[in-house]
Amino acid sequence: MTQKFDVVVIGAGPGGYVAAIKAAQLGLKTACIEKYQDKEGKLALGGTCLNVGCIPSKALLDSSWKFHEAQDGFKVHGINHAGVTMDVPAMVGRKAGIVKNLTLGVSSLFKANGVTVLEGHGKLLAGKKVEVTGSDGKVQIVEAENVILASGSRPIDIPPAPVDQDVIVDSTGALEFQAVPKRLGVIGAGVIGLELGSVWSRLGAEVTVLEALDKFLPAADEAVSKEALKTLTKQGLKIRLGARVTGSTVDAKKKEVEVNYTDADGEQKIVFDKLIVAVGRRPVTTELLAADSGVTIDERGFIFVDDQCATSVPGVYAIGDVVRGMMLAHKASEEGIMVVERIKGHKAQINYDLIPSVIYTHPEIAWVGKTEQALKAEGVEVNVGTFPFAASGRAMAANDTGGFVKVIADAKTDRVLGVHVIGPSAAELVQQGAIGMEFGTSAEDLGMMVFSHPTLSEALHEAALAVNGGAIHIANRKKR
């Protein structure tokens, strides 16, 4: 007998599992299909983010930063020690433990909320039927009133550097190194490349990042990207812009790879012990849709959806990395909530203009809203206020004074249009800005609020005051 559900979700990543839980909470009979298995061959929920993405990378980033501080940052606090060493397998093992706890946590949440888990590969057929193929090859068909496609994304492969998960690895392989490579290459100076490059650089690797674009972090505000390039270079990352990789040759005996690339000076060669390919991700839509499913995809493999994530088939939705927009876990989760709310007849909507972006290097880099260059290109007159962490008492106490907060406001209405931060707790400060912006805050509003002292948040307060020349703890720019 065919099982029937109100909602069937394909994919148990941060978009899919959140959608499934929300659907069950709203009284809908819900199933979630997932095929990913851990190293032990057991079903692992949570998708890329929990298993081989956001969470494990942050675990390694935090461990490596603590090691860096112990090596280079304790002395200023009066803490003297004879020297520290890093046990890389223990660090990676800790990361694996965190991942296991969280994936088991999702499984517990499914049980608590009554979500049915179907293990296997999900494929949408015509008439909102879903084919589930188990790892043993057995096939079952389930029927749904509504289907949510949340199959996520995978790393992009490039012909000049084919991944073997030994010498040349993708982002997943870069989380599993059991020793620090002496010479590490990273193709791609995006979020993933910079975060993983930072991890191994702190542990002693000589890291070279090859970026094909001539501009560094073009999505970020220019002031932030300029500061980030300067800071990361100072930390030891060799970032080569305009460097286009053309080929690579692995020496299996020496366990090294020679990379060929071109830049402004012509053809170049460089040898690494490990090479991370981090040039972006692509949607997982292969074998997701039957030819007669009715759902359409574009030439890049993304599923066509409207602003509410509805596909061309009534009752079928797609969320997260398989649709337009930024590939961010929090975006996927909120799309999942929105879709389920709409299935229940509620008029839910996401404000796509206020989705924060974060790069978890140290200092952190984060922003919400528009950049100054984008606003100027649109012809919007703006006032800008900045405040350096070097003038923050709390940052001084923590010996973490790099970077600044930048607030951009409409020159006519004073409405805040962007908050950009590079520095300690950048993600948390930007989230404060996002909350205010969601309610249409002006720079004056932020300036009139009481911020506790001493906190890093005061930097946001002062930057907002600086928009209109009212900062207290730095000299204000004279109005022209």
Side-chain angles (χ1 to χ4, degrees):
M1 185 177 176
T2 303
Q3 293 188 79
K4 296 183 179 180
F5 296 91
D6 296 318
V7 176
V8 170
V9 183
I10 299 179
Y17 85 73
V18 168
I21 290 171
K22 185 65 177 179
Q25 288 176 346
L26 293 181
L28 299 168
K29 185 182 179 183
T30 305
C32 188
I33 303 167
E34 180 55 66
K35 66 179 180 180
Y36 185 82
Q37 295 180 337
D38 61 19
K39 291 179 180 178
E40 299 168 357
K42 295 179 180 178
L43 179 69
L45 305 175
T48 293
C49 181
L50 263 64
N51 288 282
V52 291
C54 335
I55 299 302
S57 62
K58 302 313 160 287
L60 296 188
L61 280 160
D62 279 0
S63 293
S64 64
W65 181 253
K66 289 182 187 300
F67 175 71
H68 168 76
E69 279 204 302
Q71 273 197 319
D72 303 315
F74 280 3
K75 195 171 183 180
V76 72
H77 292 282
I79 304 171
N80 296 306
H81 55 84
V84 292
T85 58
M86 173 56 81
D87 183 337
V88 174
M91 176 185 76
V92 174
R94 170 184 174 271
K95 176 265 298 178
I98 293 168
V99 168
K100 191 167 187 177
N101 284 341
L102 286 170
T103 55
L104 289 175
V106 175
S107 183
S108 297
L109 287 169
F110 274 3
K111 288 178 183 177
N113 287 281
V115 176
T116 299
V117 178
L118 301 175
E119 185 172 356
H121 174 83
K123 184 175 185 178
L124 178 67
L125 308 178
K128 288 184 289 190
K129 291 182 179 180
V130 180
E131 177 186 88
V132 184
T133 305
S135 57
D136 58 1
K138 290 184 179 179
V139 177
Q140 63 172 310
I141 305 292
V142 296
E143 294 182 9
E145 288 295 318
N146 301 277
V147 178
I148 302 174
L149 306 171
S151 48
S153 63
R154 62 167 59 98
I156 292 174
D157 299 317
I158 56 172
V163 169
D164 58 19
Q165 296 297 27
D166 181 18
V167 178
I168 303 177
V169 303
D170 58 17
S171 56
T172 300
L175 297 170
E176 298 297 330
F177 292 164
Q178 295 298 304
V180 180
K182 184 178 179 182
R183 302 163 299 178
L184 174 64
V186 181
I187 303 177
V191 177
I192 297 169
L194 293 177
E195 289 184 359
L196 293 173
S198 292
V199 167
W200 299 107
S201 174
R202 292 169 192 164
L203 300 180
E206 182 182 295
V207 178
T208 301
V209 182
L210 303 175
E211 170 56 54
L213 297 177
D214 293 318
K215 290 188 72 175
F216 183 66
L217 293 179
D221 189 88
E222 284 183 359
V224 170
S225 58
K226 183 178 179 181
E227 179 73 11
L229 181 59
K230 182 179 75 174
T231 303
L232 294 173
T233 299
K234 190 176 179 182
Q235 289 177 3
L237 292 182
K238 296 176 182 176
I239 300 170
R240 299 182 181 177
L241 301 175
R244 191 172 191 85
V245 175
T246 56
S248 60
T249 306
V250 174
D251 187 322
K253 289 184 179 179
K254 292 184 178 179
K255 287 282 185 179
E256 63 183 29
V257 55
E258 182 180 86
V259 176
N260 302 90
Y261 68 96
T262 59
D263 61 13
D265 296 322
E267 295 185 5
Q268 311 287 344
K269 290 183 181 180
I270 188 168
V271 177
F272 302 114
D273 300 299
K274 295 281 187 182
L275 177 65
I276 302 172
V277 179
V279 295
R281 301 180 64 83
R282 59 186 175 89
V284 176
T285 47
T286 308
E287 295 299 312
L288 177 67
L289 307 167
D292 60 352
S293 69
V295 174
T296 52
I297 61 175
D298 67 18
E299 66 281 357
R300 295 185 300 156
F302 288 96
I303 297 171
F304 281 113
V305 292
D306 64 14
D307 290 344
Q308 289 77 42
C309 291
T311 70
S312 49
V313 177
V316 178
Y317 304 84
I319 62 174
D321 289 2
V322 292
V323 302
R324 76 288 179 271
M326 297 180 285
M327 287 186 171
L328 297 170
H330 44 283
K331 176 242 191 194
S333 295
E334 293 308 317
E335 285 179 333
I337 297 288
M338 174 181 70
V339 163
V340 173
E341 290 278 8
R342 295 188 77 85
I343 287 171
K344 285 292 287 186
H346 306 151
K347 293 183 179 180
Q349 183 66 54
I350 290 176
N351 184 351
Y352 283 99
D353 292 333
L354 293 183
I355 297 178
S357 294
V358 186
I359 304 174
Y360 294 90
T361 47
H362 198 103
E364 279 185 358
I365 303 164
W367 65 89
V368 68
K370 295 186 176 182
T371 64
E372 185 177 356
Q373 59 265 30
L375 288 164
K376 287 183 176 178
E378 293 173 12
V380 179
E381 290 184 36
V382 297
N383 288 328
V384 175
T386 60
F387 188 82
F389 285 106
S392 162
R394 187 68 187 87
M396 289 182 201
N399 192 38
D400 202 357
T401 57
F404 56 85
V405 176
K406 178 175 181 177
V407 175
I408 306 169
D410 188 298
K412 295 175 182 176
T413 66
D414 197 41
R415 183 170 181 170
V416 176
L417 302 176
V419 175
H420 306 265
V421 183
I422 176 169
S425 297
E428 312 300 338
L429 298 185
V430 160
Q431 193 61 53
Q432 292 180 19
I435 293 169
M437 291 167 70
E438 186 64 53
F439 290 94
T441 190
S442 65
E444 183 183 31
D445 289 333
L446 290 177
M448 290 172 67
M449 293 179 187
V450 178
F451 283 66
S452 50
H453 175 76
T455 60
L456 295 172
S457 296
E458 288 177 295
L460 175 61
H461 187 224
E462 289 279 355
L465 287 168
V467 167
N468 295 302
I472 301 298
H473 292 93
I474 54 168
N476 292 284
R477 290 179 181 177
K478 291 182 179 180
K479 293 265 185 180
R480 293 177 185 175

